Amino acid sequence: MSGERVASVVVDVAAEATDKPFDYLVPPELEEEVAIGSRVKVPFGPRKLVGYVVGFPAERDLRHLKPILDVMDLTPPLTPELVKLARWMARVYLCPWITALQAMVPAVLKGKYRRVLRLGPGFVSEGFIAGAEETLVRALQKKGELSLKEALELEGVSRSLVRRMAEKGHLVVEERVGDRTTRKRQTWISPAQPAAVLREAAGKLPKNALRQREMLHFFIEHREDILQPALLSRLGATKSTVDRLVDKGLLHREERETYRDPFAGRSFEKTEPLSLTPAQESVFQKIVAPLREGRHRTVLLHGVTGSGKTEIYLQAITETLNQGRQAIVLVPEISLTPQMVKRFKGRFGGRVAVLHSGLSHGERYDEWRKIRTGEVQVAIGARSAVFAPFPDLGLLVIDEEHENSYKQEEQPRYHAREVARRRCAEHGAVLVMGTATPSVESYYRARVGGYDWAQLTERVHNRPFPPVEVVDLREELRSGNRSIFSRSLKEQLQACVDRGDQAVLFLNRRGFSTFVLCRECGESVECPHCDISLTYHRTNQTLRCHYCGYTRQVPRECPSCGSSHIRYFGTGTQRVEEELARTMPGLRVIRMDVDTTRRKGAHERLLTAFGKGKADVLLGTQMIAKGLDFPGVTLVGVIAADTMLHLPDFRAAERTFQLLTQVSGRAGRHDKPGRVVIQTYSPEHYSIRMAAEQKAESFYREECRLRKRLRYPPFCRLFTLLFSHPDRVKLMQAGSRAARFLAPRLPEGGELLGPVSAPIPRIKDRYRIQIIIKYNNLTDEPTGFVETLRGLKAGLKDPELRLGIDRDGVSLSAGGDG
DNA sequence: AGCACGCCGACT
DNA sequence: GTCGGCGTGCTC
């Protein structure tokens, strides 16, 4: 018994108490298969669970250990590097280790557990059953088997009844742990020796070994792998022939799993590398230099829209592949268009796996497996592709690095940018982050030297930037224009439509008016469950809460003073749509906001319709700002640029700048020149001014100066703890208790602010307060303080109390509402 | 998380 | 005495 190995396994139970490895014996028959990253079936108390092998500890006393029951995959789904990465994620993002591990594998590998009941072989109708027992037996006789869950839903059936019946042998309880889809396994045969050796062996075979000789000759002629059934039918041989040659070491037999190819039958036109402009060439060198040395670097590629970033990515990938290493390309989900796929498939053909949300579970799994088995060397996909299980990652590209979709908002919460950096550091790989509007953090790091900095300031073919006009809405008001549209925007819109071109109008508020106000007492109509004004929706004459969904009719009288002088303020997409219809009749408008895109597929349908010229104007919120690329669009209008400038968020200016810059880039991308009109009440604000003047450098400088002065990231680390509770008094007590707990445990130079009321003090009848913690250590991973927060979280006893934690704008756990 | 165990009151 | 409800503690 002495030579036996022990494996540490993290089991599939996402709970505090089980968030650690458990040790199991590796039975001799599984010895070969168990590796770090293996998915295994293990006994856990009275249950059987799936888990991942995370290590092989030296254990002296083996007697109390239970054995691993089974290994579930031919190839371990995870590499040791990913197992380690998951542990890091668990610490940094405050989630159970198993949750991070599960995030790295395709959905089909997430185990499914079922306890199934059947009538036992010993069951004989003894005549004396009644009540719940009878109900259960009848159901089992009818259906053959029931899951435990189904059984417990039957009238009167309880766990103890099931247990008693099982003890008497009337029932059999079977545990099933399985995958969601089945994999097709096929047996492949390949030659194990060079042709000369096979020829020699064929000569030495006894005369009557006819089939073996034929088979060897087949492989002398065809030096390739072949499916076993195909081989056998071709030669009229049987499996025993193969067995004998495999035993002699002449052939190799291998189990392989088959793929569903989502791009089967489609061929991609081969594209050749374009020659790089001198500016592109210089950026390319900055990427390739560390790549050739196998040195980890992060390169921030600040390149204006249309400056040819993709071609640089493609050539850097080619270089990576030439070195025998692999590459990952992350793109925001919406930019993973067929054109994008075509471009990569065209250059790299069968060496690319594409992971996007449109794939079925099975297809996604197959793409993933090509990565895992080394069949492809390039993976392109959205956020989760950052976990592509390559063994020797050389290059990782994050396109549009400032995009919010790189943040995962469900457990495990993570930021793909941070995960990517970690992976690249581990592999000695180059991380390239490309964007026209870097996040302030990345910009700062590139400037002070943490990252390498590369810039592309010119558009390919020297396409001009569209002229941007900033309209001062205060001025408009003074000159008597009370409409939503400034005279200039209206003129431009008219001219654009007259030319037969298309326009995009952008507004980040849905609904009709933002709030309803009583002119007598000045009170606005608020949600009874949240401390926020209700939004007026014209279509069904209702007021709606955008936080909890509460809906009510518009009151005739003010709820607080009874006056009938009620007015609508602010502007929403519905209102703009209506005013467009009034001022420019006959205009065809497509409105895109949460209300019109709620149904599945509506998003794509509306965009396609607009792309086909079915409307003159695309009017929408946030969601239309990105990824839009319509040749017919020559006018982009921003209805109110400052709506998000006054949000209580230190990134408000950055977001405004990024949005305006991105939106402006959407005008006149093709052969037609474009125009941009930005309407605002604060034309002097630096984020608006510098976006309009396309002075990115000046904006980032100013923003860094302010952040430094006010002590915000990237000049400190910022934690926001948001507590919520239905009872205000209990919430206050919990808040002060938390502050008392944290105060003596702050990192050096740490500063604790609060507890104070949250920006929205109540959502869905839960009161909200927050504590803000700032500290300076930016070089270390924030694991130390997260550990303190874990302690705080574990110490919360009241189940009604929820705690949401946010670090530098990445939320680690939700605690605000629903 | 699940599940067993153990204690306690309600009931045939 | 037996059944079921619920709090506690453990899973290699």
Side-chain angles (χ1 to χ4, degrees):
Chain A
M1 223 32 193
S2 62
E4 266 188 286
R5 260 207 312 178
V6 176
S8 290
V9 175
V10 172
V11 295
D12 185 15
V13 179
E16 178 91 40
T18 51
D19 188 18
K20 59 177 183 189
F22 291 85
D23 291 344
Y24 292 89
L25 283 178
V26 181
E29 68 274 17
L30 296 177
E31 176 68 33
E32 299 259 304
E33 287 187 66
V34 175
I36 290 181
S38 288
R39 201 163 54 114
V40 292
K41 200 195 282 187
V42 291
F44 196 68
R47 307 183 275 169
K48 290 185 189 107
L49 294 176
V50 166
Y52 285 88
V53 175
V54 298
F56 296 104
E59 180 97 19
R60 271 151 278 113
D61 183 15
L62 308 174
R63 279 164 302 177
H64 65 287
L65 297 183
K66 293 182 185 177
I68 288 176
L69 301 173
D70 204 1
V71 179
M72 301 181 70
D73 315 88
L74 292 179
T75 314
L78 298 171
T79 60
E81 180 247 334
L82 287 170
V83 168
K84 193 174 157 198
L85 181 72
R87 207 192 75 224
W88 172 82
M89 284 176 65
R91 290 217 302 255
V92 170
Y93 297 114
L94 204 69
C95 70
W97 194 350
I98 187 67
T99 309
L101 290 164
Q102 297 281 31
M104 299 177 171
V105 298
V108 293
L109 296 189
K110 282 163 205 163
K112 207 171 137 187
Y113 303 92
R114 291 206 315 151
R115 303 198 126 195
V116 178
L117 309 186
R118 278 181 287 116
L119 285 177
F123 179 76
V124 272
S125 195
E126 283 160 30
F128 204 76
I129 55 167
E133 199 168 342
E134 190 186 0
T135 317
L136 181 55
V137 169
R138 286 275 150 76
L140 286 170
Q141 281 170 338
K142 203 168 130 204
K143 291 195 177 170
E145 61 178 44
L146 286 174
S147 73
L148 181 62
K149 215 174 184 174
E150 289 168 325
L152 292 176
E153 274 162 18
L154 295 171
E155 184 71 37
V157 175
S158 65
R159 276 177 197 281
S160 47
L161 176 75
V162 170
R163 198 169 52 236
R164 276 199 309 283
M165 290 176 70
E167 273 163 18
K168 281 188 274 182
H170 293 173
L171 284 181
V172 178
V173 183
E174 192 189 326
E175 290 209 47
R176 288 193 198 154
V177 181
D179 291 342
R180 281 185 199 162
T181 55
T182 49
R183 280 159 286 181
K184 246 199 235 160
R185 286 188 182 190
Q186 294 177 326
T187 308
W188 287 74
I189 310 297
S190 49
Q193 301 290 341
V197 178
L198 297 186
R199 193 170 293 118
E200 199 194 324
K204 285 187 191 158
L205 284 171
K207 282 206 180 69
N208 55 354
L210 209 80
R211 289 270 140 81
Q212 290 189 52
R213 192 169 304 122
E214 265 180 61
M215 194 169 281
L216 284 176
H217 280 119
F218 173 87
F219 282 106
I220 292 164
E221 276 164 52
H222 311 273
R223 304 283 310 161
E224 63 191 271
D225 304 2
I226 182 168
L227 275 170
Q228 179 167 290
L231 175 72
L232 299 182
S233 70
R234 201 154 155 175
L235 302 177
T238 58
K239 200 172 130 311
S240 72
T241 317
V242 179
D243 290 343
R244 257 157 244 148
L245 292 170
V246 169
D247 286 345
K248 288 180 185 140
L250 299 168
L251 294 186
H252 178 66
R253 193 204 315 259
E254 191 178 15
E255 295 272 304
R256 287 189 205 163
E257 292 162 352
T258 51
Y259 305 125
R260 284 145 281 222
D261 185 354
F263 299 97
R266 253 197 284 170
S267 62
F268 293 89
E269 201 179 313
K270 188 104 186 96
T271 67
E272 294 303 323
L274 307 171
S275 63
L276 299 177
T277 64
Q280 283 177 317
E281 181 62 33
S282 126
V283 172
F284 178 67
Q285 288 307 328
K286 284 191 179 167
I287 296 167
V288 163
L291 188 64
R292 290 196 177 124
E293 294 167 33
R295 195 156 48 88
H296 165 58
R297 287 304 298 168
T298 300
V299 180
L300 178 66
L301 169 49
H302 183 191
V304 298
T305 36
S307 58
K309 294 191 286 280
T310 310
E311 184 60 32
I312 299 178
Y313 302 156
L314 290 167
Q315 298 198 17
I317 293 169
T318 303
E319 179 68 28
T320 312
L321 300 187
N322 288 345
Q323 288 183 30
R325 303 176 82 189
Q326 304 89 39
I328 297 173
V329 181
L330 300 185
V331 294
E333 184 66 64
I334 36 150
S335 353
L336 197 52
T337 54
Q339 296 99 290
M340 188 84 167
V341 172
K342 213 167 118 189
R343 208 155 165 202
F344 279 81
K345 287 262 181 185
R347 192 68 61 87
F348 303 112
R351 306 180 78 178
V352 188
V354 180
L355 301 162
H356 66 86
S357 59
L359 300 180
S360 72
H361 281 181
E363 288 170 333
R364 202 182 164 80
Y365 174 52
D366 289 343
E367 289 296 290
W368 175 87
R369 238 163 45 211
K370 290 181 195 167
I371 298 169
R372 183 66 187 102
T373 56
E375 193 173 317
V376 301
Q377 295 82 39
V378 182
I380 171 166
R383 188 175 56 223
S384 64
V386 76
F387 301 120
F390 284 126
D392 190 11
L393 189 65
L395 178 73
L396 203 160
V397 174
I398 305 182
D399 193 33
E400 309 291 340
E401 75 78 44
H402 62 279
E403 276 285 327
N404 258 334
S405 65
Y406 288 123
K407 261 200 307 206
Q408 163 128 7
E409 301 282 1
E410 303 96 52
Q411 277 267 40
R413 287 151 189 274
Y414 64 89
H415 200 303
R417 203 170 56 202
E418 294 173 342
V419 176
R421 282 207 74 201
R422 180 79 189 181
R423 279 202 85 182
C424 288
E426 193 73 26
H427 280 274
V430 176
L431 173 61
V432 176
M433 304 197 295
T435 171
T437 51
S439 60
V440 171
E441 282 93 329
S442 299
Y443 170 87
Y444 177 72
R445 276 183 204 134
R447 277 325 212 183
V448 298
Y451 298 171
D452 292 334
W453 167 257
Q455 221 175 353
L456 287 174
T457 48
E458 274 165 32
R459 286 177 155 189
V460 176
H461 309 311
N462 275 322
R463 277 195 212 108
F465 283 99
V468 179
E469 180 190 350
V470 177
V471 177
D472 185 346
L473 287 175
R474 294 168 307 186
E475 201 67 40
E476 288 288 315
L477 211 60
R478 251 172 272 157
S479 56
N481 179 11
R482 313 198 64 178
S483 142
I484 299 169
F485 302 106
S486 62
R487 288 157 301 179
S488 177
L489 180 55
K490 215 166 132 184
E491 274 164 33
Q492 294 294 341
L493 197 54
Q494 190 64 58
C496 171
V497 176
D498 289 347
R499 284 195 305 271
D501 290 348
Q502 290 180 300
V504 169
L505 292 180
F506 178 81
L507 177 74
N508 53 5
R509 275 258 157 72
R510 68 193 171 105
F512 193 82
S513 303
T514 31
F515 55 103
V516 177
L517 196 75
C518 169
R519 280 204 279 186
E520 295 280 322
C521 67
E523 289 285 313
S524 64
V525 184
E526 295 201 335
C527 174
H529 308 287
C530 313
D531 290 329
I532 198 91
S533 304
L534 294 172
T535 304
Y536 176 50
H537 284 245
R538 177 72 170 240
T539 30
N540 42 11
Q541 295 283 313
T542 54
L543 293 176
R544 200 181 300 166
C545 174
H546 285 182
Y547 283 86
C548 73
Y550 168 85
T551 306
R552 62 164 289 175
Q553 292 299 305
V554 180
R556 294 230 183 85
E557 289 148 12
C558 167
S560 32
C561 76
S563 153
S564 58
H565 293 270
I566 284 178
R567 258 199 72 180
Y568 306 107
F569 281 91
T571 310
T573 42
Q574 279 189 26
R575 165 109 185 265
V576 177
E577 189 180 24
E578 206 172 280
E579 189 148 330
L580 272 176
R582 199 171 51 239
T583 53
M584 300 175 68
L587 205 66
R588 296 168 306 159
V589 179
I590 289 180
R591 175 164 63 94
M592 272 185 77
D593 55 27
V594 187
D595 298 319
T596 63
T597 55
R598 214 184 300 273
R599 291 226 317 276
K600 197 173 183 290
H603 196 263
E604 291 72 34
R605 208 169 47 246
L606 292 174
L607 284 180
T608 313
F610 184 67
K612 284 187 184 158
K614 298 232 167 94
D616 308 304
V617 176
L618 178 65
L619 162 67
T621 52
Q622 216 70 293
M623 64 176 71
I624 66 165
K626 318 152 182 170
L628 277 186
D629 190 8
F630 297 113
V633 173
T634 58
L635 175 68
V636 170
V638 180
I639 309 271
D642 30 21
T643 36
M644 56 192 232
L645 208 50
H646 308 298
L647 296 176
D649 179 351
F650 71 91
R651 279 189 237 271
E654 176 183 350
R655 294 236 168 85
T656 302
F657 176 82
Q658 287 174 336
L659 191 74
L660 294 180
T661 307
Q662 295 284 343
V663 161
S664 307
R666 302 297 163 217
R669 288 199 70 183
H670 297 261
D671 44 353
K672 296 178 188 169
R675 275 196 92 83
V676 180
V677 177
I678 296 174
Q679 305 192 133
T680 175
Y681 288 98
S682 9
E684 70 288 340
H685 194 279
Y686 65 99
S687 65
I688 292 173
R689 217 175 61 231
M690 287 160 186
E693 293 169 16
Q694 281 140 25
K695 288 189 177 150
E697 195 64 30
S698 314
F699 168 76
Y700 285 106
R701 260 201 212 136
E702 176 64 13
E703 182 66 13
C704 284
R705 204 179 58 80
L706 283 172
R707 294 233 188 137
K708 188 170 191 175
R709 209 180 70 206
L710 301 172
R711 204 170 183 220
Y712 278 117
F715 299 93
C716 72
R717 189 151 266 149
L718 181 78
F719 280 88
T720 306
L721 313 190
L722 188 121
F723 296 84
S724 76
H725 197 291
D727 183 323
R728 192 187 252 141
V729 177
K730 284 186 182 158
L731 177 66
M732 293 310 202
Q733 289 166 347
S736 356
R737 222 173 315 125
R740 276 200 305 278
F741 174 84
L742 293 171
R745 294 174 172 80
L746 291 185
E748 226 179 276
E751 162 183 19
L752 186 147
L753 307 161
V756 293
S757 189
I760 300 171
R762 186 176 51 127
I763 290 181
K764 293 186 192 174
D765 285 322
R766 301 180 63 85
Y767 293 92
R768 295 147 54 91
I769 55 170
Q770 62 183 27
I771 292 176
I772 289 173
I773 291 146
K774 293 177 177 180
Y775 69 92
N776 280 344
N777 189 349
L778 295 171
T779 47
D780 281 3
E781 297 289 356
T783 47
F785 189 62
V786 169
E787 212 42 57
T788 305
L789 294 178
R790 196 191 286 273
L792 173 70
K793 228 178 144 100
L796 302 179
K797 291 284 173 275
D798 187 346
E800 283 284 17
L801 179 70
R802 286 210 278 269
L803 167 59
I805 303 171
D806 184 296
R807 190 243 316 144
D808 307 328
V810 183
S811 74
L812 308 181
S813 63
D817 45 53

